[in-house]
Amino acid sequence: MAIEDDVLVIGGGLAGATAALAAADAAPDVRVRLVTYKQSTLRHASGLIDILGYAPDSPEEGPLVDPFDALSDLPEGHPYERVGSEAVREALAFFDDVAGDAYAGDHTDANALVPTHGGTVKPTARYPVSTADGLASDDRDALLVGFETLPDFEAPLAAAHLEAAGAPFSARGATIPFPGIVRDDAKVTRYAHLLDQDETVTTGAGETGAREALATTVAERLADESRVGFPAVLGDEHAAEVRADLADALGADVFEVPMGPPSLPGMRLEDLLYDALEDAGVRVTSGVPVIDYETATEADAVAADGGSGADRIDRVVVDRNGTEIPHCADQYVLATGGLVGKGVRSEREQVFEPIFDCHVPHAADRYDWFVDDVFGEQPYARFGLASDRDLRPLDAGDEPEFANLRAAGAVLGGYDFAAEKSGAGVSLATGYVAGTRAGEEADR
Amino acid sequence: MSDAEQPTDDHVPGAEEEEFEPIQVFPEAEEMDLRPGADNCYKCSTCDTNCPVAEVDDEFPGPKFQGPEQWRLKRQDDHDVDDSVMKCSNCMRCDSACPSEVPLSQMHNTARGEYVEEQMEKFSREYLRNRILANYRRLAPLAAAFPRTANFVMGLSVTKWMGEKLLGITSEREFPEFVTETFREWWTKRGGAKVENPDKRIAYFHGCYSNYNTPEVAKALVRVYEHFGYEIMVPDQSCSGTPMFANGMLEDARRAAETNVRELAAALEDGADIVASCSSCSMSLRQEYPELFDFENTETVAENTWDAVEYLRVHEDLESELEGRSVEGDEFDDFAYHAPCHSRNQGLDGQTIEVLSMIDGIEAHDVGDSCSGISGTYGWKEENYETSMKIGEEMFEHMDAADAQTGLTECPTCSMQMEHGTGYEIKHTLEVLEAALVGSGSAAGGRREAG
């Protein structure tokens, strides 16, 4: 007997979580399950929600002011072109509902410019509230604070970069010891935990809570700046409280600068999404991979959808440390990620999708998978599944691979999220559409 | 790229069929070769952000160091295993954290084994204490033979004081009580299986704790499975090995595993599947055995071992069977449920909440994904007690905030920590299923002699 649900989403990142939430939202009576193998790459993510930062065909023209203006110019096959710009707006509104107060930026269509830990600015549609006081369009002077034991953020360098990039304010960097951290390679979670729990730490000034100790150390460096930026380690579960305490003690606004992996803002986004999944009654099975599938008999397929011609997935097989557990659903969403998330894999002779073996368009000769210019238009960056407008993956003959499988997020091809800054937006839009359709169809 | 430089295959499905024949570049490995796993690490540090120890103790360098980095360092002859490996609690969260299939806990287990074997002083207090904790099962029969004496002596403050001063076992914790009748004694007295069924047979791996300390869990399993018409076998068995891996006592673990694999493989021959009620026992049989040992049938045993509730979900229509049932007694109304790390790593973290939601009148609240912090023998050590309680803080907070009368989990040591940190009485999921399926009579008698 298989474990049965109506909609089964495979993959637990931004696309998978959005698909599961959208399915539950579209059809409250259907039972939705999300199966995810390893932890999602949200822990690598900045936590920023970008839609489109640069036009794919003319990135040299600089960041886009309004990403929605550019959506209609995207080439055929781009995931945004597949779902249509109205769906992108709906998906973003759906995200705003889920995120509530945790994110900002919904007051305008225009991209916000968020400073990064390298001192560059990233165009993005939504941003965690913790970064809101750091926007590069804000003309207040800023003090950036780095920690001696956290080499990922070199505050003076980031400040100099920001000024060189033409930010409309003066930025200054200072590097301080983090009270309570002795070790050179303490994890970012250790910094966050110290502040979250306000653990007692010992500094030259004696024993105090970690928040007070940090504020005291920073206050000595603060001149007349009205905002202070820190690397994004200011708490995890109680991040808002940590920021408020620091701001009170410093008499200045406090913001976080998004960091490289592993990233607290990415982890907080993950927590936010998983809390929402729990509230929506979505069942989550994590830590185990989907390794195989079985198709339905022709008779069952005809009974289910009148016989569209495409195969129907009857069940998938989940591997639990060697034991094979069948999971059955009416509709399936594939949101296993791209080359980094391992939803798309490669070996010397081929690029492939490992669960359903869906067709991945790519050149036969592997020397055509890349170009020599590192920052040039790399073909491999666009590797992924092609889909129809219903987000069903297409085979080599442009026919749907399966009648009841849709794909969402980075497993889809036809776009270069790193170059055009569209990773989160594509995951949201395709996850929203795939999940909504799957939910509606399972409900019929 | 010449074929000699062909990168080591990183478990790409389908790659097995490749005709490519690698040229031997490195000498034949004489011991466990984890190089492919170490090479898979691209330093994203996701494992570090999942490590409950590194979050509260910045002296602990984290799983990325303990695994792939230490493994590389060790390739240099002049490097010993770093002693911080003993601070790893073996929660194994790093395994499911890794997006790149690095076998972190396997690396930790082998490094810890090597450290204990080659670097730890065999007459040291630490070694002696760890050996005792790892082999708790050896003491348990003695204590079980004289349970009242043992419980009395263990409960004495002088015993605890001596335990801490002489052995480094924390005096903050209450030793678990030994029962006057073990599960196996009960099983024998009862005359063994009450149901015979050549088509539906399970071999029950009860583990040490439900034999010596909480036989009510084992009895609940028996009644639930007999309710579904299963013939239950209770093969001879040794410790699963979990506490031995965690203490680097790999030789002790190997001996125990050899017995278990032999006995369980024989049960498989008799047409049984293996089920376990303790999440660390099933984890050990399923994952650690095939990673660390290669006895005949190790893989077969791993592939046919199941968590007790999961088995019923897949082989029976457990949810329909539970639908509309209810349980008498307030203690079963609202549970604060903690998913043990070793359940989480088997993809079972949502299972209990899903299954119990079918029973009328029962609400089980998940208290979040944090680690309880005790991790088997880890939190029993004097030097780890404080870290263990700091790790548990988040779970304690969430349990206190939950609207519940009783705690719920599948791991014996998590349950000790939950009770210790919050004062809740703790039950096992199987006890709730027993109450719902077999009736309130045996539910009320869960801790009494019944059967």
Side-chain angles (χ1 to χ4, degrees), chain B residues 219-285:
Chain B
K219 291 177 196 171
L221 180 136
V222 166
R223 294 191 189 109
V224 168
Y225 270 76
E226 288 190 344
H227 170 82
F228 282 103
Y230 282 88
E231 177 174 341
I232 298 164
M233 302 163 67
V234 184
D236 281 345
Q237 51 196 269
S238 192
C239 168
S240 71
T242 300
M244 297 159 180
F245 301 135
N247 286 286
M249 307 286 172
L250 286 190
E251 276 315 303
D252 292 342
R254 175 180 296 278
R255 273 194 297 278
E258 196 169 10
T259 306
N260 292 334
V261 169
R262 186 183 62 237
E263 295 295 331
L264 295 172
L268 291 176
E269 284 285 309
D270 292 334
D273 285 321
I274 303 155
V275 304
S277 48
C278 160
S279 43
S280 295
C281 292
S282 55
M283 187 75 199
S284 177
L285 295 172

Side-chain angles (χ1 to χ4, degrees), chain A residues 1 39 183 187 193 286 320, chain B residues 50 55 58 61 310 314 347:
Chain A
M1 148 125 235
Q39 269 180 8
R183 204 182 165 86
K187 314 304 164 207
H193 188 92
S286 66
R320 282 209 183 126
Chain B
N50 278 268
E55 184 174 329
D58 61 350
E310 174 194 30
V314 175

Side-chain angles (χ1 to χ4, degrees), chain B residues 213-396:
Chain B
N213 303 91
T214 54
E216 61 274 14
V217 172
K219 291 177 196 171
L221 180 136
V222 166
R223 294 191 189 109
V224 168
Y225 270 76
E226 288 190 344
H227 170 82
F228 282 103
Y230 282 88
E231 177 174 341
I232 298 164
M233 302 163 67
V234 184
D236 281 345
Q237 51 196 269
S238 192
C239 168
S240 71
T242 300
M244 297 159 180
F245 301 135
N247 286 286
M249 307 286 172
L250 286 190
E251 276 315 303
D252 292 342
R254 175 180 296 278
R255 273 194 297 278
E258 196 169 10
T259 306
N260 292 334
V261 169
R262 186 183 62 237
E263 295 295 331
L264 295 172
L268 291 176
E269 284 285 309
D270 292 334
D273 285 321
I274 303 155
V275 304
S277 48
C278 160
S279 43
S280 295
C281 292
S282 55
M283 187 75 199
S284 177
L285 295 172
R286 282 172 143 182
Q287 182 176 325
E288 282 158 322
Y289 282 15
E291 278 182 354
L292 298 170
F293 308 125
D294 53 3
F295 314 116
E296 193 183 357
N297 294 319
T298 306
E299 295 279 347
T300 319
V301 165
E303 285 165 14
N304 291 287
T305 297
W306 298 73
D307 166 77
V309 177
E310 174 194 30
Y311 188 84
L312 290 176
R313 283 190 98 183
V314 175
H315 292 86
E316 304 294 329
D317 197 348
L318 178 61
E319 293 181 35
S320 300
E321 185 73 20
L322 287 172
E323 201 160 1
R325 288 182 184 260
S326 57
V327 178
E328 284 174 37
D330 291 350
E331 54 177 346
F332 286 98
D333 282 355
D334 285 285
F335 288 103
Y337 174 70
H338 164 74
C341 297
H342 291 175
S343 270
R344 194 168 288 284
N345 289 354
Q346 297 185 59
L348 299 171
D349 48 324
Q351 173 175 274
T352 290
I353 301 280
E354 286 174 28
V355 168
L356 295 194
S357 72
M358 305 308 291
I359 306 172
D360 281 351
I362 289 189
E363 284 281 340
H365 310 275
D366 194 320
V367 294
D369 62 0
S370 58
C371 171
S372 78
I374 190 167
S375 290
T377 60
Y378 179 85
W380 280 94
K381 297 173 187 171
E382 182 200 356
E383 71 273 21
N384 295 340
Y385 177 75
E386 203 185 320
T387 306
S388 159
M389 293 303 282
K390 270 188 179 175
I391 297 172
E393 191 55 46
E394 191 177 330
M395 180 188 76
F396 302 147

Side-chain angles (χ1 to χ4, degrees), chain A residues 31-393:
Chain A
R31 190 190 273 185
V32 183
R33 180 183 301 275
L34 184 151
V35 182
T36 173
Y37 182 17
K38 300 298 186 171
Q39 269 180 8
S40 81
T41 45
L42 278 170
R43 290 189 179 230
H44 302 194
S46 61
L48 302 178
I49 300 291
D50 45 21
I51 295 291
L52 194 65
Y54 295 84
D57 51 353
S58 51
E60 67 287 350
E61 285 177 17
L64 293 165
V65 175
D66 184 337
F68 294 98
D69 278 351
L71 292 182
S72 54
D73 299 333
L74 293 172
E76 190 177 333
H78 192 290
Y80 285 145
E81 178 273 332
R82 298 280 88 182
V83 298
S85 54
E86 204 41 48
V88 181
R89 280 188 184 277
E90 285 171 25
L92 197 57
F94 185 72
F95 174 80
D96 288 338
D97 261 1
V98 172
D101 297 340
Y103 272 74
D106 59 350
H107 59 288
T108 170
D109 274 356
N111 271 326
L113 298 173
V114 177
T116 71
H117 61 125
T120 60
V121 291
K122 182 178 165 172
T124 189
R126 300 287 185 270
Y127 41 92
V129 283
S130 68
T131 62
D133 274 310
L135 296 193
S137 50
D138 188 333
D139 59 9
R140 291 177 293 160
D141 291 348
L143 172 68
L144 299 184
V145 175
F147 306 127
E148 285 167 0
T149 44
L150 195 70
D152 300 11
F153 183 59
E154 182 60 33
L157 186 71
H161 270 202
L162 268 176
E163 289 201 335
F169 54 88
S170 116
R172 199 163 56 84
T175 304
I176 61 166
F178 189 96
I181 298 266
V182 189
R183 204 182 165 86
D184 281 343
D185 64 347
K187 314 304 164 207
V188 289
T189 45
R190 177 69 193 134
Y191 290 87
H193 188 92
L194 266 170
L195 293 170
D196 249 357
Q197 301 292 330
D198 205 9
E199 281 184 25
T200 305
V201 298
T202 309
T203 61
E207 286 198 350
T208 57
R211 297 175 193 174
E212 188 189 331
L214 177 60
T216 307
T217 319
V218 172
E220 292 164 13
R221 269 69 168 191
L222 188 63
D224 52 0
E225 291 94 348
S226 57
R227 51 179 176 158
V228 182
F230 292 89
V233 297
L234 302 184
D236 184 4
E237 223 186 317
H238 307 299
E241 201 183 296
V242 171
R243 264 192 339 274
D245 279 2
L246 290 174
D248 273 356
L250 287 169
D253 287 327
V254 165
F255 63 93
E256 287 188 319
V257 179
M259 302 278 288
S263 148
L264 260 308
M267 288 157 64
R268 293 182 204 132
L269 174 58
E270 190 177 349
D271 287 345
L272 183 157
L273 292 168
Y274 279 75
D275 286 348
L277 288 168
E278 193 180 338
D279 292 344
V282 173
R283 301 175 156 200
V284 176
T285 299
S286 66
V288 285
V290 174
I291 52 164
D292 205 357
Y293 70 98
E294 287 170 30
T295 49
T297 61
E298 204 162 319
D300 287 346
V302 171
D305 62 12
S308 63
D311 283 344
R312 240 187 119 71
I313 296 163
D314 177 59
R315 55 183 54 197
V316 294
V317 177
V318 169
D319 172 57
R320 282 209 183 126
N321 307 79
T323 315
E324 297 192 342
I325 315 287
H327 277 259
C328 242
D330 183 57
Q331 299 293 320
Y332 297 84
V333 177
L334 180 68
T336 42
L339 288 161
V340 178
K342 290 189 163 57
V344 176
R345 306 196 79 154
S346 68
E347 52 194 45
R348 283 161 71 90
E349 304 300 330
Q350 58 158 343
V351 183
F352 62 100
E353 181 277 300
I355 297 177
F356 300 102
D357 200 21
C358 289
H359 173 64
V360 181
H362 63 283
D365 184 342
R366 67 173 177 275
Y367 289 94
D368 294 334
W369 296 353
F370 59 93
V371 295
D372 288 339
D373 173 12
V374 175
F375 295 107
E377 270 197 35
Q378 295 288 354
Y380 69 78
R382 292 161 197 272
F383 283 172
L385 313 183
S387 78
D388 65 10
R389 291 183 184 279
D390 203 27
L391 293 179
R392 285 179 302 183

Side-chain angles (χ1 to χ4, degrees), chain B residues 89 104 106 144 163 229 306 347 350 419 430:
Chain B
S89 75
L104 288 144
Q106 185 181 10
W306 298 73
E419 194 171 349
L430 282 167

Side-chain angles (χ1 to χ4, degrees), chain B residues 97-113:
Chain B
C98 177
S100 196
E101 300 169 342
V102 178
L104 288 144
S105 69
Q106 185 181 10
M107 292 176 160
H108 301 162
N109 272 328
T110 47
R112 191 163 37 226

Side-chain angles (χ1 to χ4, degrees), chain B residues 56-284:
Chain B
V56 299
D57 178 6
D58 61 350
E59 287 300 304
F60 183 64
K64 186 179 64 175
F65 171 78
Q66 299 299 352
E69 287 173 2
Q70 171 130 283
W71 199 88
R72 284 202 188 91
L73 273 176
K74 276 289 300 162
R75 298 307 96 193
Q76 311 296 321
D77 288 334
D78 57 347
H79 274 274
D80 286 337
V81 176
D82 192 76
D83 58 9
S84 63
V85 76
M86 297 308 287
K87 287 190 166 205
C88 160
S89 75
N90 203 36
C91 72
M92 302 167 85
R93 278 177 173 250
C94 42
D95 275 351
S96 54
C98 177
S100 196
E101 300 169 342
V102 178
L104 288 144
S105 69
Q106 185 181 10
M107 292 176 160
H108 301 162
N109 272 328
T110 47
R112 191 163 37 226
E114 185 177 324
Y115 175 79
V116 170
E117 180 67 29
E118 292 175 11
Q119 288 162 241
M120 196 186 269
E121 188 56 61
K122 296 300 173 297
F123 297 103
S124 68
R125 180 179 93 146
E126 187 184 6
Y127 181 82
L128 182 66
R129 189 266 323 265
N130 289 2
R131 194 92 200 261
I132 290 173
L133 285 173
N135 288 281
Y136 135 91
R137 184 181 175 276
R138 301 254 166 238
L139 294 180
L142 196 66
F146 308 100
R148 292 191 183 85
T149 316
N151 291 335
F152 173 71
V153 174
M154 298 293 234
L156 289 176
S157 57
V158 63
T159 309
K160 292 185 185 176
W161 181 81
M162 297 255 293
E164 181 157 307
K165 292 299 163 217
L166 289 177
L167 290 169
I169 296 173
T170 179
S171 61
E172 300 285 340
R173 294 185 189 277
E174 299 292 327
F175 284 104
E177 256 185 51
F178 290 96
V179 288
T180 49
E181 181 183 63
T182 66
F183 166 67
R184 292 187 78 94
E185 285 165 1
W186 173 82
W187 178 254
T188 310
K189 207 195 264 178
R190 163 190 210 254
K194 288 270 167 73
V195 174
E196 282 184 31
N197 187 346
D199 300 324
K200 284 168 67 167
R201 213 172 253 176
I202 57 140
Y204 177 31
F205 191 86
H206 49 69
C208 308
Y209 202 75
S210 65
N211 186 39
Y212 296 115
N213 303 91
T214 54
E216 61 274 14
V217 172
K219 291 177 196 171
L221 180 136
V222 166
R223 294 191 189 109
V224 168
Y225 270 76
E226 288 190 344
H227 170 82
F228 282 103
Y230 282 88
E231 177 174 341
I232 298 164
M233 302 163 67
V234 184
D236 281 345
Q237 51 196 269
S238 192
C239 168
S240 71
T242 300
M244 297 159 180
F245 301 135
N247 286 286
M249 307 286 172
L250 286 190
E251 276 315 303
D252 292 342
R254 175 180 296 278
R255 273 194 297 278
E258 196 169 10
T259 306
N260 292 334
V261 169
R262 186 183 62 237
E263 295 295 331
L264 295 172
L268 291 176
E269 284 285 309
D270 292 334
D273 285 321
I274 303 155
V275 304
S277 48
C278 160
S279 43
S280 295
C281 292
S282 55
M283 187 75 199
S284 177

